[in-house]
Amino acid sequence: MEKEVLLEVRDLDVTYGERKKKYKAVKKVNFKIYKGETFGLVGESGSGKTTIGRAIMRIVPSAGGEILYKGEKINGKISPELDRMVLKEIQMIFQDPQASLNERAKVDYIISEGLMNIEKGISEQERRRRVEQAILDVGLLPEFSSRFPHEFSGGQRQRIGIARALIMNPEFIIADEPISALDVSVRAQVLNLLSDMQKKRQITYLFIAHDLSVMRFITDRIGVIHKGRIVEMGESEEVITHAIHPYTRALLSAIPMPDPRHEKEKKLLVYEPDMHDYEKEPPKWRELRPEHFVLANEREAKEWV
Amino acid sequence: MPDKMLTVENLEIKFKLRGKTLNAIRGVSLDLYKGEILAIVGESGSGKSVFTKSFMGLLDQNGKVTAGRITYYGADDGNPIDLTALRKEKEWYKIRGHEIAMIMQDPMTSLNPLKTIGVQIMEAVLLHQKMTRAEARKKTLQYLEDVGIHHPERRFDQYPHEFSGGMRQRVVIAIAIACAPQILICDEPTTALDVTIQAQILALLKELLRKYKLSIILITHDLGVVANIADRVAVMYAGDIVELGTGEDIFYDPRHPYTQALLSSLPQVGVKGTDLFSIPGTPPNLFTEIQGDAFAPRNPRALKIDYLEMPPYFQVSPTHKAKTWLLDPRAPKLETPAVVEKIRNGGLV
């Protein structure tokens, strides 16, 4: 059965700065996200993973390439109707729940701000009903709506951020490191909430994180990104158990495991970008195992497998 | 048995907040031995930071040690010092930095953006070690090299913004080392960093421990980080240490329900497609007096006595003890959680 593509990114380039100070944050990135799945982008700070998420949200302009949502191009100039649809259907959850909520607004306003902007004629009664529903959906109490963000713990604030995304009935949610700033015990709650929402509403996720152990748990497919380029992509379990690219292997070796004996014996792998001889032979996408793609040149493809 | 560096006996710390009293630390005893890495693990609000801040006299104005003793054994003249008896800032100056140094979580905020990193490290060298400026500069370059910063000559004159997060944390560590401390307290040193950088920083701490003969206290909320580095682990909950043991004790044979719950909620042990274990409820309100086992309300298998009486420490082995009634000979025998079996059998990778 052919899976339905919800979002496709083709040859995406994003650059920051101008003229001499130009910096390419994202270089010719390609991937597809299928309806109902969780696709993960994993990489270190500065790899460009957040920038890709922001480019899809259209917070940063793309310098080249296309972003297709349900087959329609959504980057660059688009019609007002499409703009409204995308604003409603694509939502984002941010990393830091301390910074992403308006400190001066009550929870009620924070959650419904987007709703009021998109569904202009919404009645007060309907708005309240939707806010209450969203608050209940994320496991908070309705009376919280009249409180301010500083009255909540990190985990609760992250739930408010999730409620704000859910109230729009989105089809696609970009979750940018939604659990990095949280305590381990609260992380589990937020991860479970996200996957619960996916089961109930068939939401598609782009999940951005630097930690492969979280990725393994929550995503169906992942792309490993380094310095603005995706270097390895495939089903999460496949990529993690049969990692090929040295960068992915380095990331894997760094995951802290709760097993002292294993940790004492483990060797940290360090990825040195100088190891490639791309001057002589530039790399391209190769399917080195079934449905498992790696950025490599001819020589590396032979060596790595 | 190695020498003790620090002993804490029945420590209680209380905060006055809007007319109410918060019991942040509720009678904690703990020893730190020379040359070991002791990890203190707990959620936000469990008191792990407050606990270690009291070793350096860094409690907020409204916080006070109300009972107990903290004795420091590492002084140059060999005489033990009772840290809870120190009152004046001047007395603390002798402890802070030169005896006990601290590394904070966020390397972005703990450096002065207006001074070059070389000057910031040299400041610590000049303050705590008697030497001329020329010698101090040489020593600073040595420290930079030791914490893994290449081309120290060039890096000396750079400002914090010219460094990445991981490199800044290395600079912060260099400043702490430059005070020539006996004890290094690391408060969530890797939480703000990438996993790859985290692994490097942990490796660096182990290296420095050997080279400078330090004793390290590592504070973290992530049990996963601890397996790599800690010789002993103290699990803190609601201002009390509920379990203490070697790394192997805690990971292969956790006895307190809270320790077991913390281990089970790690994504590393999760199985895709199923819910990750999460601890129900929230930590207790420390403004009120806690009855019995503080974790009982969140423990679905709590016993009746857990709500009534605080459990004492039960010794599991000479290195391992836990504060839970489950270890009482009269308690029902519960089977080991599946996660623990999995970790014990090396079934994680």
Side-chain angles (χ1 to χ4, degrees):
Chain A
M1 201 184 79
E2 203 41 23
K3 283 180 285 183
E4 187 188 335
V5 177
L6 185 71
L7 184 104
E8 184 172 359
V9 172
R10 280 190 199 154
D11 291 331
L12 181 69
D13 280 330
V14 180
T15 46
Y16 288 122
E18 290 193 333
R19 294 201 190 104
K20 269 194 174 167
K21 284 187 173 170
K22 230 177 201 175
Y23 176 75
K24 269 202 166 187
V26 175
K27 301 163 196 160
K28 296 262 173 286
V29 161
N30 285 286
F31 60 85
K32 286 177 188 166
I33 300 179
Y34 299 101
K35 200 170 163 46
E37 77 167 349
T38 302
F39 180 78
L41 272 179
V42 61
E44 290 170 282
S45 348
S47 62
K49 56 191 194 302
T50 296
T51 302
I52 293 175
R54 286 173 177 249
I56 298 171
M57 283 303 285
R58 304 173 301 154
I59 301 170
V60 296
S62 42
E66 289 183 321
I67 300 170
L68 304 172
Y69 177 71
K70 294 185 172 169
E72 283 189 86
K73 183 167 182 278
I74 59 164
N75 58 336
K77 268 216 157 74
I78 59 172
S79 70
E81 295 81 51
L82 184 61
D83 183 55
R84 276 171 64 89
M85 179 184 100
V86 173
L87 272 180
K88 180 178 176 307
E89 293 189 0
I90 307 184
Q91 292 295 319
M92 190 158 184
I93 298 167
F94 297 91
Q95 170 171 3
D96 185 354
Q98 306 303 332
S100 60
L101 302 180
N102 183 350
E103 284 293 339
R104 291 161 187 243
K106 288 186 178 161
V107 170
D108 177 65
Y109 178 80
I110 292 174
I111 293 180
S112 62
E113 189 177 13
L115 192 66
M116 290 188 286
N117 279 324
I118 292 295
E119 296 180 26
K120 289 255 161 61
I122 190 167
S123 71
E124 175 62 13
Q125 203 187 356
E126 171 69 1
R127 187 190 68 85
R128 277 183 188 225
R129 195 190 62 75
R130 298 264 297 266
V131 170
E132 189 178 320
Q133 190 55 48
I135 290 181
L136 287 171
D137 283 345
V138 297
L140 297 176
L141 299 171
E143 57 260 36
F144 287 0
S145 68
S146 58
R147 297 197 194 159
F148 287 98
H150 72 259
E151 299 176 61
F152 297 95
S153 68
Q156 288 173 322
R157 292 171 71 119
Q158 198 56 296
R159 284 170 194 267
I160 295 170
I162 296 173
R164 165 171 71 182
L166 286 178
I167 200 168
M168 307 296 286
N169 275 327
E171 292 207 18
F172 182 54
I173 290 182
I174 299 171
D176 186 2
E177 303 258 17
I179 58 162
S180 317
L182 305 176
D183 258 359
V184 173
S185 54
V186 184
R187 278 182 190 178
Q189 295 171 6
V190 172
L191 280 180
N192 288 343
L193 175 65
L194 288 175
S195 61
D196 196 39
M197 287 298 137
Q198 180 165 47
K199 276 179 216 144
K200 279 192 192 137
R201 308 184 177 197
Q202 283 81 46
I203 297 172
T204 308
Y205 287 117
L206 168 59
F207 199 96
I208 298 169
H210 69 268
D211 185 346
L212 265 171
S213 63
V214 175
M215 285 301 197
R216 179 180 199 171
F217 178 71
I218 195 154
T219 61
D220 300 303
R221 291 189 312 126
I222 51 170
V224 181
I225 182 165
H226 181 255
K227 294 263 159 80
R229 273 200 182 89
I230 292 189
V231 297
E232 187 157 4
M233 187 153 61
E235 297 220 344
S236 321
E237 203 54 35
E238 160 70 22
V239 170
I240 287 167
T241 48
H242 298 99
I244 296 173
H245 197 278
Y247 179 63
T248 315
R249 297 168 66 110
L251 277 184
L252 275 171
S253 82
I255 297 178
M257 287 311 237
D259 180 346
R261 267 176 247 145
H262 171 263
E263 286 290 314
K264 281 200 181 99
E265 283 158 23
K266 92 168 175 191
K267 281 244 149 56
L268 259 190
L269 301 176
V270 178
Y271 172 57
E272 300 283 356
D274 314 342
M275 64 179 288
H276 306 293
D277 49 354
Y278 291 160
E279 300 276 287
K280 267 188 258 161
E281 195 204 342
K284 45 179 198 188
W285 269 113
R286 290 163 200 275
E287 188 172 1
L288 293 184
R289 288 171 56 91
E291 294 290 307
H292 181 164
F293 298 86
V294 181
L295 187 71
N297 63 22
E298 192 74 43
R299 182 185 64 83
E300 291 173 330
K302 280 196 195 114
E303 239 171 64
W304 290 348
V305 180
Chain B
M1 207 66 182
D3 299 335
K4 279 181 193 169
M5 283 306 289
L6 188 84
T7 57
V8 180
E9 292 158 277
N10 297 317
L11 189 71
E12 273 178 32
I13 299 176
K14 292 192 168 136
F15 284 86
K16 283 254 181 290
L17 265 172
R18 295 184 212 112
K20 288 194 278 185
T21 308
L22 180 113
N23 304 300
I25 297 295
R26 305 182 300 129
V28 172
S29 300
L30 188 67
D31 294 328
L32 175 72
Y33 296 104
K34 202 172 171 61
E36 78 167 341
I37 301 183
L38 171 69
I40 301 179
V41 183
E43 289 171 88
S44 334
S46 62
K48 54 196 195 302
S49 290
V50 165
F51 181 56
T52 48
K53 275 184 179 168
S54 69
F55 305 166
M56 297 181 73
L58 291 176
L59 293 179
D60 287 342
Q61 288 274 315
N62 58 345
K64 246 203 178 95
V65 173
T66 51
R69 273 169 75 94
I70 308 168
T71 318
Y72 174 71
Y73 296 100
D76 295 339
D77 58 8
N79 291 330
I81 304 174
D82 180 7
L83 296 182
T84 49
L86 301 187
R87 290 285 173 273
K88 297 197 200 86
E89 281 295 293
K90 226 178 168 176
E91 297 171 311
W92 277 113
Y93 288 159
K94 290 194 188 111
I95 303 293
R96 285 183 203 147
H98 188 51
E99 307 293 348
I100 307 176
M102 194 172 214
I103 296 166
M104 307 284 184
Q105 173 172 355
D106 190 354
M108 309 296 162
T109 52
S110 43
L111 290 172
N112 183 340
L114 300 177
K115 286 184 176 174
T116 65
I117 60 114
V119 166
Q120 295 187 52
I121 300 171
M122 210 163 97
E123 213 170 55
V125 178
L126 286 170
L127 193 62
H128 293 287
Q129 304 183 39
K130 285 201 187 79
M131 49 177 76
T132 64
R133 288 192 74 83
E135 283 168 336
R137 189 186 159 94
K138 230 169 133 188
K139 194 98 199 201
T140 300
L141 294 173
Q142 178 63 44
Y143 286 130
L144 279 172
E145 189 121 33
D146 286 347
V147 296
I149 292 175
H150 301 305
H151 313 295
E153 282 283 355
R154 203 185 62 208
R155 296 297 240 170
F156 188 95
D157 294 316
Q158 290 184 330
Y159 290 90
H161 76 265
E162 296 174 77
F163 289 76
S164 66
M167 283 295 156
R168 275 186 227 187
Q169 195 60 296
R170 285 173 194 266
V171 172
V172 174
I173 294 173
I175 294 176
I177 299 294
C179 306
Q182 303 282 330
I183 299 175
L184 187 62
I185 300 174
C186 308
D187 191 350
E188 305 261 10
T190 61
T191 308
L193 304 175
D194 277 336
V195 253
T196 40
I197 312 295
Q198 165 172 292
Q200 291 168 15
I201 296 287
L202 293 179
L204 173 67
L205 286 177
K206 275 195 272 190
E207 210 181 294
L208 293 174
L209 176 99
R210 249 174 275 130
K211 179 153 190 191
Y212 290 99
K213 304 197 169 47
L214 300 166
S215 309
I216 292 182
I217 299 176
L218 176 79
I219 302 170
T220 176
H221 69 268
D222 191 347
L223 256 179
V225 172
V226 162
N228 178 283
I229 185 167
D231 298 308
R232 290 193 308 143
V233 182
V235 180
M236 201 154 202
Y237 186 75
D240 197 4
I241 290 173
V242 295
E243 186 158 4
L244 176 72
T246 65
E248 305 216 345
D249 292 338
I250 298 293
F251 286 96
Y252 301 138
D253 192 21
R255 293 303 180 99
H256 198 283
Y258 179 63
T259 315
Q260 297 175 345
L262 267 188
L263 274 174
S264 309
S265 58
L266 288 174
Q268 288 96 315
V269 306
V271 178
K272 202 178 150 38
T274 61
D275 263 4
L276 195 56
F277 177 84
S278 74
I279 306 173
T282 50
N285 180 355
L286 294 177
F287 282 111
T288 54
E289 201 67 39
I290 288 169
Q291 276 253 317
D293 184 344
F295 187 61
R298 301 174 77 184
N299 178 12
R301 302 198 292 187
L303 309 171
K304 213 183 245 166
I305 188 161
D306 280 330
Y307 292 95
L308 300 172
E309 209 171 319
M310 175 138 146
Y313 279 117
F314 287 94
Q315 208 74 33
V316 180
S317 74
T319 55
H320 186 188
K321 60 183 181 178
K323 250 185 190 176
T324 166
W325 284 116
L326 286 176
L327 289 170
D328 190 281
R330 290 162 292 177
K333 294 280 164 281
L334 298 177
E335 76 282 10
T336 330
V339 167
V340 176
E341 285 293 344
K342 201 168 153 190
I343 295 172
R344 215 183 271 167
N345 301 329
L348 280 183
V349 192

